[in-house]
């Protein structure tokens, strides 16, 4: 079933739009605070469509993500009990939050770097860091390095792949999409 090809074509069309960088910045900011879709899904096609802008787009994504992370930190620091905790309970995220708290106790500031670089939900760790009143400067450094490494790596790999990579992705997008869906479902059952 080819449901990912039209989605890919739609994304590539919008990746070339003049407002695409602004949308990327907004999506990235939102993902660092509450939004579930990672910015890589827009960053990658934008770099594919305009490889000469790869580093600028990676920098924009990094800065937007860190600003969102700071907002998440402040929300956790200032508004956890009256605002954030009820939302986490309503969306059944308290287990993930408590798991993040355990990781903070074990790994400290390194968990922010790991969450920033990996597909682990960064937003949970920004809220947790604020709630735990983690020192702000180490949080900011770990966020910047982790997110920067991730987004510059994505942009660099896509730019290095160039047109041949774009052709291969276009040919395999449905297979890639279904593999990702399967991995997400498998990861969900492994974690829970």
């Amino acid at each position: 079933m080819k449901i990912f090809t039209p989605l890919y074509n739609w994304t590539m069309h919008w990746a070339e739009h003049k407002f695409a960088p602004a949308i990327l910045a907004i999506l990235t900011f939102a993902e660092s605070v509450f939004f579930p879709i990672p910015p890589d899904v827009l960053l990658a096609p934008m770099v594919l469509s305009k490889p000469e802008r790869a580093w600028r787009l990676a920098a924009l994504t990094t800065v937007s993500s860190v600003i969102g992370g700071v907002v998440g930190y402040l929300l956790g620091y200032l508004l956890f009990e009256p605002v954030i905790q009820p939302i986490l309970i309503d969306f059944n995220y308290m287990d993930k939050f408590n798991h993040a708290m355990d990781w903070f106790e074990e790994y400290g500031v390194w968990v922010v770097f790991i969450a920033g670089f990996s597909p682990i939900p960064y937003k949970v760790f920004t809220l947790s860091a604020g709630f735990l009143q983690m020192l702000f400067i180490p949080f900011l450094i770990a966020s910047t390095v982790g997110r920067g490494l991730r987004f510059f790596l994505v942009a660099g790999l896509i730019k290095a792949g160039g047109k041949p990579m774009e052709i291969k992705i276009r040919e395999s997008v449905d297979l890639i999409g279904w593999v990702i869906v399967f991995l997400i479902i498998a990861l969900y059952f492994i974690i829970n």
Side-chain angles (χ1 to χ4, degrees):
M1 182 160 48
K2 292 191 172 230
I3 64 169
F4 294 100
T5 299
L7 183 61
Y8 177 82
N9 292 335
W10 179 83
T11 304
M12 287 301 289
H13 169 74
W14 284 104
E16 296 175 9
H17 194 276
K18 67 180 181 177
F19 293 121
I23 293 167
L24 176 64
I26 292 166
L27 170 72
T28 304
F29 172 85
E31 185 269 339
S32 294
V33 182
F34 65 90
F35 197 61
I37 298 172
D40 311 62
V41 299
L42 189 54
L43 174 62
M46 287 178 69
V47 172
L48 275 174
S49 69
K50 305 238 194 270
E52 69 280 1
R53 293 187 179 176
W55 308 129
R56 190 175 331 148
L57 293 168
L60 173 68
T61 308
T62 301
V63 169
S64 301
S65 181
V66 171
I67 292 170
V70 168
V71 170
Y73 177 95
L74 291 172
L75 288 170
Y77 189 89
L78 300 171
L79 298 172
F80 183 79
E81 288 182 4
V83 177
I84 302 303
Q85 189 173 25
I87 293 171
L88 291 175
I89 290 169
D90 287 346
F91 285 97
N92 203 20
Y93 256 67
M94 277 309 291
D95 288 342
K96 289 178 179 59
F97 179 79
N98 290 331
H99 192 65
M101 300 291 277
D102 293 340
W103 281 19
F104 266 106
E105 284 184 29
E106 191 168 339
Y107 303 109
V109 71
W110 289 104
V111 78
V112 175
F113 167 78
I114 292 166
F117 183 73
S118 70
I120 296 170
Y122 176 64
K123 64 193 103 337
V124 173
F125 291 93
T126 64
L127 293 167
S128 301
F131 175 71
L132 291 172
Q133 299 180 1
M134 176 184 188
L135 293 174
F136 182 72
I137 297 300
F139 167 81
L140 191 60
I141 292 169
S143 291
T144 303
V145 172
R147 295 308 258 184
L149 282 173
R150 174 179 170 172
F151 299 132
F152 277 89
L153 179 65
V154 167
L157 289 173
I158 299 293
K159 181 178 177 158
K163 193 67 175 168
M165 178 181 270
E166 200 258 329
I167 292 167
K168 286 284 186 197
I169 291 173
R170 186 173 298 281
E171 291 171 354
S172 308
V173 73
D174 285 295
L175 175 64
I176 294 167
W178 285 115
V179 167
I180 291 171
V181 167
F182 174 76
L183 289 174
I184 290 169
I185 292 169
L187 187 62
Y188 174 80
F189 285 110
I190 290 169
I191 292 174
N192 290 323

